[in-house]
Amino acid sequence: MITSTTCGACGHSSHTQFASPDLVGPIVSGRFDRARDPAWRQSGAATVEDYARWCGHLCGATCLRMALGPGAPSLFELRDGALKFGAYRVDAEGEIRGMIYAPAVGYVREVHGVDAAVHRTLRADEIGELLDAGRLVIASVHYAIRRPHEPAPGRGGHLVLVTARTPDGSGYHFHNPSGTNAATRTANLPVEHFEQFFAGRGISLTNRVLHSSPCGA
C-alpha cells in the first residue's frame, strides 16, 4: 500500500491521517471501520485500538509530518510528542481535543528545531504573504474542502498544509490529510474559493524544502 508520495508541484510529501490512502473515502463516509485498516501498523500506533481511536483526530499531526519533511517521525510518534506538550488533550469524558496551536508551536520549536508561529487571526490573502516569505501554513478549514465543487457548509474544524501558490499566482496549493483521492490530497483552489472554507487562523512554519533546495520548491 502507498503511504506517502512526493508532490511534483511543491516537493513535499503527501500523507494521509489514515494509514491506507485508498480507504480514506470509505472511512470518512462511515462505510469502512477504521479498526480494520490493514496498514494501521505503518502509522506507528502501538495497537489497532489506539490507531482507531486517534486517527480521525490527527489531521494536525499529519500536517506537521508533511511539513517536517524527510526523516519526520511516524504519525503516532508525533502524536505522542504533541501530547506531552499539551497540543492534544483528553478530557475527563475521554474526548480528544486538539490540535491546540500554542503548545503545538512550542513542540515544533523545542523538539524539531523548526521556527513556527501561531496566527490567531489570518486573512486568506495573508497566507500568500507567508508563503512568499518562505513559510508553510497549517490552515484551519472545513473538512468539506475535499468536495470543493459543493458549497462550503462551514469554516474550520480540520487542518490542511498550504505549501505554495498555484503557478498562476491566483490560488493556493495544499495537502489535505483526509483527501479521498489524489486530486483532493494535493489540491489547488483559487484564494477566494479557499476562503469559503477557511476559519481565519492557523500556524506558520519554516518551509524546509524551500530552504534546503538551491532551486526553491
Side-chain angles (χ1 to χ4, degrees):
M1 294 184 183
I2 298 173
T3 58
S4 172
T5 57
T6 299
C7 176
C10 67
H12 282 275
S13 295
S14 172
H15 295 292
T16 58
Q17 64 194 89
F18 305 101
S20 297
D22 57 329
L23 292 176
V24 174
I27 288 173
V28 298
S29 69
R31 293 181 287 112
F32 188 88
D33 182 358
R34 62 191 69 183
R36 294 173 52 217
D37 188 330
W40 69 267
R41 290 180 179 83
Q42 296 180 30
S43 70
T47 66
V48 69
E49 291 81 10
D50 193 32
Y51 168 78
R53 182 185 180 202
W54 276 88
C55 59
H57 299 274
L58 295 181
C59 52
T62 305
C63 288
L64 285 182
R65 189 177 181 215
M66 292 187 284
L68 291 173
S74 72
L75 181 59
F76 274 71
E77 286 178 287
L78 288 168
R79 188 279 311 262
D80 291 345
L83 265 172
K84 291 177 182 176
F85 276 73
Y88 287 107
R89 297 172 187 168
V90 181
D91 67 21
E93 287 72 41
E95 291 295 319
I96 297 168
R97 309 292 182 188
M99 170 171 279
I100 302 167
Y101 293 170
V105 162
Y107 167 59
V108 169
R109 287 174 173 170
E110 185 170 331
V111 176
H112 299 287
V114 175
D115 179 62
V118 177
H119 300 270
R120 291 184 174 84
T121 58
L122 185 65
R123 298 193 315 269
D125 62 291
E126 290 176 323
I127 293 176
E129 296 174 10
L130 289 166
L131 297 173
D132 294 343
R135 312 283 285 181
L136 301 169
V137 177
I138 298 175
S140 176
V141 300
H142 196 279
Y143 66 81
I145 201 167
R146 61 175 170 254
R147 300 190 296 271
H149 301 297
E150 298 178 10
R155 299 170 185 258
H158 179 59
L159 295 171
V160 299
L161 181 69
V162 187
T163 62
R165 291 185 184 268
T166 54
D168 65 3
S170 69
Y172 296 140
H173 175 79
F174 61 95
H175 290 196
N176 184 355
S178 68
T180 54
N181 55 32
T184 58
R185 284 193 282 273
T186 56
N188 294 334
L189 278 182
V191 173
E192 62 273 14
H193 197 165
F194 185 91
E195 186 175 19
Q196 296 171 23
F197 298 88
F198 179 48
R201 57 183 179 269
I203 295 171
S204 71
L205 311 88
T206 299
N207 186 338
R208 282 185 164 181
V209 168
L210 180 66
H211 287 275
S212 65
S213 169
C215 299

